[in-house]
Amino acid sequence: MSQQLRIAHLYPEQMNIYGDRGNIITLTQRCLWRGIEVDVVPISIGATVDWSTYDIVFFGGGQDSGQALIANDFVHHHGPALRETIDDGLVMLAICGGYQLLGHYFVTHTGEQLPGVGAFDIHTVGEDVRMIGNVVIEVDGIRAGPGDNRLHNTPSLRLVGFENHSGQTFLGKGVRPFGRVLVGHGNNGEDGTEGAIYRNAFGCYLHGSLLPKNPQFADHLITLALERRYDQANLAMLDDMFELHAQRTMINRLLR
Ligand code: GLN
C-alpha cells in the first residue's frame, strides 16, 4: 500500500504572504513525485480539528492585522490540543507571523498584545523599524535526502530566504535556534539566531517561499513525518539541479 501524508494548512485566507503557500506546493509535489499520496486540508476559523490525524502542519506568515483576526481562535480553540500533539512529535513549520503565534505572546509595534499558544518558549515584541531583506542562515542536523548539496560529513547546511518583520523574537531555554544568521537580521537583529526548534516543530522568519528555495529542508520535514507515521522513510532521489543551482547562486551572491 502506498504511503500517505496528511497536511493541515492553518488559516490560508488570513495567513499567507510572500508566497508562503509555495511551501505547501513544494511539500505536496515532492511527495507526489515519489508516489506518496498527500491530502492538504485548509483549517479556517471555527474548524474542529483532530491534530492526531495530521502528519505535517503548516502555518504561514501574516500582517499584524491578519494575526489579530485568527489569534483567539488559534490560541483558545486549538492551543492546548495542538501543544500536546507538538509535544508528541507532530511535524510543524511556521513562518514569521505563524511562528510568532506559536510563542507565549506577540506585542505588536502599536502596543496590542496578541496571545500565543506557548508551544515555543519564545516571545515577540514589535519595533518601529522593520527587518527586511534577504537572509542566509546555517543550520545543523538537517538530514536531507539524496538531493543534498553538502559535501559528505559536513554538519551544517546553508539555507536562503527573505524576511520582513517588525517583531523581534527572543528565545527562552525551552527551544533551540533553528539557525545562525550569516546574512540578515534573524530573530531580533541582535543575538545572531534565526528561528526556533522544539521537538519536530520549526519556526522561522524565512519567506521566499522557504521550501521551494531549500529543497533539502523540505525533504527533512517529509522524512520526519514519514518516520513518525510509518517508522521509516526512504525518499527516492529527485533531480534538484535547478533548485540547488538557484540556491547556491543566491547564497554566493549574498555572502560576497
Ligand atoms: N506581523 C508580523 C511582523 O511584522 C509578521 C509579519 C510577517 O509574517 N511577515 O512582525
Side-chain angles (χ1 to χ4, degrees):
M1 213 181 75
S2 74
Q3 294 180 321
Q4 188 174 15
L5 290 181
R6 198 147 188 258
I7 302 178
H9 186 181
L10 280 170
Y11 311 109
E13 303 91 356
Q14 296 87 356
M15 299 291 286
N16 172 45
I17 51 175
Y18 305 118
D20 282 346
R21 192 184 295 270
N23 294 307
I24 292 280
I25 297 169
T26 296
L27 288 171
T28 303
Q29 194 55 52
R30 294 183 76 80
C31 284
L32 293 180
W33 277 329
R34 290 160 163 138
I36 302 164
E37 287 173 37
V38 178
D39 185 17
V40 178
V41 180
I43 310 290
S44 302
I45 292 174
T48 301
V49 180
D50 177 357
W51 296 103
S52 69
T53 64
Y54 287 96
D55 301 295
I56 301 178
V57 174
F58 175 70
F59 196 1
Q63 321 278 6
D64 294 4
S65 54
Q67 291 172 281
L69 290 174
I70 54 94
N72 270 328
D73 186 69
F74 182 55
V75 173
H76 299 125
H77 189 44
H78 295 301
L82 179 61
R83 229 174 26 230
E84 213 172 281
T85 319
I86 289 174
D87 276 340
D88 186 51
L90 176 71
V91 179
M92 179 155 186
L93 173 63
I95 309 291
C96 200
Y99 166 45
Q100 295 168 345
L101 294 181
L102 279 184
H104 298 302
Y105 61 86
F106 168 37
V107 182
T108 71
H109 73 110
T110 56
E112 187 185 358
Q113 175 148 346
L114 302 180
V117 300
F120 282 164
D121 182 16
I122 63 169
H123 69 275
T124 304
V125 181
E127 296 294 333
D128 287 335
V129 181
R130 297 190 72 80
M131 293 181 267
I132 306 174
N134 289 308
V135 183
V136 180
I137 62 170
E138 201 161 50
V139 297
D140 296 326
I142 299 300
R143 286 173 306 144
D148 195 348
N149 69 346
R150 273 175 297 196
L151 294 172
H152 290 298
N153 301 323
T154 308
S156 54
L157 176 73
R158 287 172 178 182
L159 305 181
V160 65
F162 172 78
E163 64 181 334
N164 184 352
H165 52 111
S166 72
Q168 296 192 347
T169 296
F170 299 92
L171 309 187
K173 292 201 178 345
V175 287
R176 56 197 168 90
F178 176 46
R180 297 176 290 282
V181 176
L182 299 182
V183 176
H185 304 276
N187 278 323
N188 49 55
E190 288 168 15
D191 64 14
T193 66
E194 163 53 37
I197 305 181
Y198 172 69
R199 294 187 58 80
N200 288 331
F202 298 79
C204 68
Y205 276 108
L206 274 57
H207 299 284
S209 323
L210 175 64
L211 298 182
K213 285 186 168 181
N214 302 285
Q216 305 98 326
F217 184 48
D219 282 358
H220 182 68
L221 296 176
I222 294 169
T223 300
L224 289 175
L226 288 173
E227 284 177 348
R228 181 162 176 265
R229 171 82 41 198
Y230 297 103
D231 286 327
Q232 59 160 7
N234 289 312
L235 290 191
M237 185 157 169
L238 298 178
D239 179 1
D240 289 325
M241 189 178 77
F242 289 113
E243 290 87 341
L244 297 179
H245 184 73
Q247 184 191 49
R248 234 179 352 254
T249 301
M250 201 56 194
I251 290 171
N252 289 341
R253 187 182 300 163
L254 292 169
L255 282 173
R256 208 168 38 208

